[in-house]
Amino acid sequence: MPLIKNRYGKGRVRVMRIHREGDRHEVSQLNVKAMVEGDFARAYTDADNSTSVSTDTIKNVVNIVARENTGLCTEDFCQVLAKKYLDSYPQVKSVTITAHETKWSRLSFGGKPHPHSFVLDSNGKPFVEVAATREGSTLSSGIDGFTFMKSTQSGWEKYVKDPYTTIPETADRMCATSMVASWKWSAKPASYPATNARILDTLLEVFGTTYSSSVQDSLYRMGEAALAAAPEISEISMACPNMHFILMNLSAFGLDNPNAVFLPTDEPHGQIECTVGRS
């Protein structure tokens, strides 16, 4: 029976880099997964480990590259890491690097940013994925679990109704989601961090400042705007679970409820996904 496909590597390699420029420090905390494919089939089929690189070695390479590149942004760091595996091990044909970032925001005191003090920013985890071969590579950036909402200017009307439909139409509802978004790079920007921030700011501005006929409606227009704001990306994908807020019925207590009191719930949730690209 043939071995159809195989790959292996090291997951949850956690590394914190500190880059020092005088008394000012930049920090980057990453959770890295490094997976390799290549001439490793005999380890599976013939108990032959002669071409296999230890997963502990794969982990060590992450730390070595981190030490040699403390100042690189995550996108550049992951590309350098992928190249290190390809350059070091001729039996490796392709490498996939995925890195999720734990965000630390610089503290300010008296209106002045502090050089080496930070606070955890827990809203969403930026991530980068590099898929590299000896012929070339692809690079994507994104954010996982970024949560945002608006308390009005969202509706759900004129949809299919049949004997199974119970939800009423509304032109005024809360809208909230915990978004996973990723975008593919077709060119290197002047700054990955600045362009990533511009993309996220654009997504939020469209969501927050325009009426939403549905989550689908908002996502498409958010994607259009992100592509216009960042010519260096070729497409953007968004997956948004619709976090529901159910209007509470307070009539038993002689009270009305003009969209003021809700029950937050995230199960079950709507799951809206789309990819918007250039023609």
Side-chain angles (χ1 to χ4, degrees):
M1 296 182 184
L3 178 68
I4 296 173
K5 190 174 182 179
N6 72 87
R7 70 172 187 164
Y8 78 102
K10 202 75 165 182
R12 297 181 64 85
V13 182
R14 293 180 289 181
V15 59
M16 167 70 88
R17 293 179 295 153
I18 302 177
H19 183 67
R20 295 172 171 85
E21 294 183 354
D23 67 346
R24 181 180 174 87
H25 296 178
E26 300 288 344
V27 299
S28 173
Q29 181 177 339
L30 300 177
N31 188 328
V32 179
K33 180 181 180 182
M35 301 295 291
V36 297
E37 294 185 52
D39 182 19
F40 306 116
R42 290 182 58 82
Y44 294 84
T45 60
D46 295 271
D48 179 358
N49 298 329
S50 60
T51 63
S52 297
V53 181
S54 169
T55 65
D56 188 67
T57 301
I58 292 173
K59 176 262 295 177
N60 291 340
V61 171
V62 174
N63 292 320
I64 291 165
V65 173
R67 175 63 187 91
E68 295 172 344
N69 299 275
T70 59
L72 291 183
C73 69
T74 306
E75 285 82 1
D76 287 332
F77 172 76
C78 288
Q79 291 179 92
V80 170
L81 179 58
K83 185 175 186 299
K84 182 74 170 180
Y85 290 119
L86 291 171
D87 290 347
S88 300
Y89 306 109
Q91 67 271 41
V92 172
K93 296 180 180 178
S94 66
V95 184
T96 301
I97 306 294
T98 307
H100 282 78
E101 180 183 357
T102 297
K103 296 188 296 180
W104 293 94
S105 299
R106 190 177 303 278
L107 284 169
S108 294
F109 304 103
K112 182 179 179 181
H114 195 271
H116 57 256
S117 295
F118 304 84
V119 64
L120 181 66
D121 180 350
S122 59
N123 190 11
K125 285 186 177 294
F127 66 87
V128 171
E129 182 168 284
V130 175
T133 67
R134 301 184 187 279
E135 289 71 42
S137 64
T138 60
L139 174 66
S140 297
S141 302
I143 192 160
D144 189 350
F146 188 75
T147 304
F148 50 95
M149 64 163 285
K150 57 185 177 182
S151 57
T152 188
Q153 291 295 298
S154 176
W156 180 238
E157 301 177 282
K158 300 177 182 178
Y159 45 84
V160 172
K161 300 177 186 66
D162 60 23
Y164 310 113
T165 304
T166 57
I167 188 171
E169 290 191 359
T170 179
D172 184 8
R173 65 173 181 171
M174 297 180 67
C175 186
T177 187
S178 179
M179 178 178 70
V180 180
S182 64
W183 40 92
K184 292 184 177 180
W185 299 98
S186 55
K188 184 173 182 176
S191 166
Y192 283 110
T195 307
N196 287 335
R198 184 165 71 250
I199 291 169
L200 186 56
D201 287 345
T202 299
L203 296 175
L204 292 176
E205 182 175 358
V206 172
F207 174 83
T209 63
T210 64
Y211 181 80
S212 174
S213 296
S214 63
V215 177
Q216 291 90 328
D217 167 55
S218 285
L219 287 189
Y220 178 73
R221 292 185 292 104
M222 290 160 65
E224 279 188 311
L227 289 166
E232 302 91 347
I233 64 173
S234 59
E235 66 178 48
I236 180 169
S237 298
M238 292 162 286
C240 290
N242 193 350
M243 301 165 64
H244 296 294
F245 293 85
I246 301 171
L247 191 68
M248 298 294 292
N249 183 357
L250 302 177
S251 60
F253 311 102
L255 297 173
D256 64 355
N257 191 2
N259 280 358
V261 180
F262 300 83
L263 171 66
T265 178
D266 56 8
E267 294 180 358
H269 62 247
Q271 181 73 22
I272 316 300
E273 302 181 2
C274 76
T275 298
V276 185
R278 303 187 187 277
S279 58

